[in-house]
Amino acid sequence: MMATAFLIFVAVMAFFVAAMVIRHLRTTAAATIIVVMVLWLTYAGLLGYFGVIGNPVLPGPAFLLIPVFLFVFLFLTRSEPAARIATTIPLGLLIGAQVFRVGVELVLHQLWLVGLAPRMLTYSGANYDIVIGISAPLVAWLYVRGNIGERAALAWNALGIVLLVNIATRALLTAPGPLHVLASEVPNRAIGTFPFSYIPGFLAPLALVLHVLAIRALRARLRGRQPVPAIG
């Protein structure tokens, strides 16, 4: 039951991303993003389903982390198409969408209760990511209304990345395998258990992508640049 509910949550988030890009980007760009997302969901799902991520011998999470790292730091943070995407999608939407992290935290809490994740990965332990999820709608509303400026929004996004790195590092270092160096009451078996492998395989990268796009848009506004047309 829990696995089914989680898969529905993942599907809802995928449909949200698809709807967002269809609504705000031109057809070619939106179609490209959707195809890439579907291919990635298939890839990440297969890695989780066949136990590659949770393999106690191989550093399975690297099969997810390396592609995400390359995509974010070689494309999202540097390319002009990514800059156009960032300045076309409404900033309030990029910020407010981080509310989905509340759902992720609730799932992690349940995984701890059933022994698939250590307590440190939950809001009862050393995971403060829920703060970003809860505050996202408020920060988006305040920014859109003009009650806070670009620098405050940048600081919030930077904090979000720091908290995301905190939990991602702990999740990686408590997972079974050669990277397990943090002691915990139970290993982080959820990271390699399908469908919960979609937490590191889709939901965490989604949070990072939203932050990076928001930061690029905010920096563009600080430089006085006007939003550029959507790519297509």
Side-chain angles (χ1 to χ4, degrees), residues 5-75:
F6 179 73
L7 274 175
I8 293 173
F9 178 61
V10 171
V12 168
M13 292 311 305
F15 278 115
F16 167 78
V17 173
M20 180 174 65
V21 299
I22 290 171
R23 171 66 178 82
H24 297 288
L25 303 180
R26 292 180 181 172
T27 304
T28 303
T32 301
I33 292 171
I34 291 171
V35 168
V36 170
M37 180 177 65
V38 170
L39 290 175
W40 176 258
L41 284 170
T42 303
Y43 170 76
L46 289 174
L47 289 181
Y49 184 80
F50 288 108
V52 176
I53 301 173
N55 191 302
V57 177
L58 299 174
F63 291 99
L64 294 175
L65 294 176
I66 292 175
V68 170
F69 178 86
L70 292 176
F71 173 74
V72 170
F73 291 98
L74 296 182
F75 177 74

Side-chain angles (χ1 to χ4, degrees), residues 1-220:
M1 184 64 179
M2 181 180 173
T4 301
F6 179 73
L7 274 175
I8 293 173
F9 178 61
V10 171
V12 168
M13 292 311 305
F15 278 115
F16 167 78
V17 173
M20 180 174 65
V21 299
I22 290 171
R23 171 66 178 82
H24 297 288
L25 303 180
R26 292 180 181 172
T27 304
T28 303
T32 301
I33 292 171
I34 291 171
V35 168
V36 170
M37 180 177 65
V38 170
L39 290 175
W40 176 258
L41 284 170
T42 303
Y43 170 76
L46 289 174
L47 289 181
Y49 184 80
F50 288 108
V52 176
I53 301 173
N55 191 302
V57 177
L58 299 174
F63 291 99
L64 294 175
L65 294 176
I66 292 175
V68 170
F69 178 86
L70 292 176
F71 173 74
V72 170
F73 291 98
L74 296 182
F75 177 74
L76 279 191
T77 64
R78 298 173 181 271
S79 73
E80 186 59 29
R84 292 177 181 174
I85 293 171
T87 53
T88 300
I89 298 175
L91 249 172
L93 184 58
L94 291 175
I95 295 172
Q98 298 281 3
V99 70
F100 84 89
R101 285 154 81 163
V102 174
V104 177
E105 296 311 307
L106 294 177
V107 171
L108 285 172
H109 186 77
Q110 290 301 311
L111 290 172
W112 166 54
L113 292 179
V114 298
L116 286 176
R119 183 174 181 269
M120 73 167 69
L121 300 187
T122 74
Y123 53 77
S124 298
N127 183 0
Y128 310 106
D129 210 49
I130 196 169
V131 173
I132 296 298
I134 291 173
S135 62
L138 176 61
V139 173
W141 182 72
L142 291 174
Y143 180 77
V144 170
R145 285 177 55 88
N147 296 115
I148 62 173
E150 280 74 21
R151 296 187 186 281
L154 275 172
W156 180 85
N157 277 281
L159 175 62
I161 291 178
V162 169
L163 295 182
L164 187 63
V165 170
N166 167 62
I167 183 59
T169 302
R170 291 176 183 274
L172 180 64
L173 299 183
T174 55
L179 300 178
H180 188 173
V181 298
L182 278 183
S184 56
E185 73 279 14
V186 295
N188 178 20
R189 291 191 293 270
I191 195 174
T193 304
F194 184 84
F196 304 109
S197 51
Y198 274 128
I199 295 177
F202 176 60
L203 298 174
L206 175 60
L208 180 59
V209 167
L210 290 171
H211 277 312
V212 172
L213 290 177
I215 288 172
R216 291 205 70 174
L218 288 163
R219 292 183 63 188

